[in-house]
Amino acid sequence: MRTISILIIFLFLSWLTCAPSWGSDNGDTYVREACSVTRYHDLCMHSLASFSHTAGRSPSKWARAGVSVTIGEAKNASQYLNKLKKDRIMRGRNRIALSDCIECFQDANDNLHKSLGILRKLDATNFDTQMGDLTTWLSAALTDEDTCLDGFEDQSSKQVKMLQNQVSRVTYITSNALALVNKLAAAGLGSLNGP
């Protein structure tokens, strides 16, 4: 009888440790809600999942998280592009396109950093102007990234494909950040004092 009791207790404790805790999916719910407005849902959820508990339901925190993640991705892409240039792997037309791409990413990074600066100091007095600036700068960053890709159209080398994949990922994440900023703009002033 004692063995059965121990076994039942053991099974119950095992079930408790393996069972999902009630209410622990709030983080998943928050990121799912935030990413619902984005074009690349899965990428958004994957890249922003770690912000779930800190951002909660705050559109301004999600917008800031989206731009922060975009800056990290753009920085990684810039480093990759600069390494390609330094290693002199690309020749001819692709080398020229690579130089243009690096310049585009410098502009994109500037616009992303300006955007994050605005998101860190949002205020009710200048909210509409700030939203306009954010939309302009994030759109410009997205255009810069797309322009980078334009230089490699109709190219199919392994290096070009890898570059295109890296840059495309940044464009998707930038698009998601822009969608989160648009959600913040739509939420309006009241969202600044929200959760």
Side-chain angles (χ1 to χ4, degrees):
M1 184 70 169
R2 183 177 171 162
T3 308
I4 293 174
S5 296
I6 292 173
L7 181 62
I8 290 171
I9 291 171
F10 176 76
L11 289 173
F12 179 72
L13 291 174
S14 296
W15 176 79
L16 280 179
T17 58
C18 294
S21 57
W22 318 124
S24 69
D25 66 333
N26 272 355
D28 186 47
T29 301
Y30 294 150
V31 73
R32 191 174 307 282
E33 284 175 12
C35 291
S36 68
V37 298
T38 64
R39 186 172 185 185
Y40 306 100
H41 304 285
D42 292 342
L43 182 59
C44 179
M45 289 180 55
H46 177 73
S47 65
L48 297 181
S50 64
F51 295 93
S52 286
H53 293 290
T54 54
R57 287 200 164 92
S58 169
S60 63
K61 289 179 182 176
W62 280 115
R64 195 177 330 155
V67 172
S68 295
V69 166
T70 305
I71 287 171
E73 290 289 331
K75 181 181 176 188
N76 290 342
S78 292
Q79 290 171 344
Y80 176 75
L81 296 170
N82 284 316
K83 184 176 178 350
L84 281 179
K85 185 174 183 179
K86 181 183 168 201
D87 292 348
R88 298 183 175 272
I89 293 171
M90 295 194 171
R91 304 271 184 240
R93 175 184 166 210
N94 286 344
R95 185 150 180 83
I96 294 167
L98 178 61
S99 292
D100 291 344
C101 191
I102 290 169
E103 193 174 312
C104 287
F105 262 83
Q106 288 169 345
D107 290 342
N109 282 319
D110 288 345
N111 285 317
L112 291 168
H113 281 284
K114 286 192 286 189
S115 298
L116 186 59
I118 290 289
L119 284 165
R120 287 181 174 155
K121 57 181 181 180
L122 289 173
D123 67 81
T125 310
N126 300 309
F127 185 77
D128 291 337
T129 302
Q130 289 173 322
M131 290 298 100
D133 289 344
L134 281 168
T135 303
T136 299
W137 292 333
L138 287 172
S139 297
L142 195 53
T143 299
D144 286 328
E145 295 155 7
D146 283 334
T147 301
C148 165
L149 288 172
D150 290 345
F152 297 98
E153 263 183 356
D154 303 324
Q155 301 295 307
S156 59
S157 74
K158 180 182 173 187
Q159 282 304 124
V160 168
K161 289 292 181 198
M162 288 173 63
L163 180 150
Q164 289 170 327
N165 289 340
Q166 180 110 12
V167 172
S168 291
R169 178 179 167 83
V170 180
T171 64
Y172 302 157
I173 288 177
T174 306
S175 169
N176 286 348
L178 180 57
L180 292 170
V181 164
N182 287 335
K183 182 177 183 176
L184 169 60
L189 292 172
S191 67
L192 296 183
N193 301 319

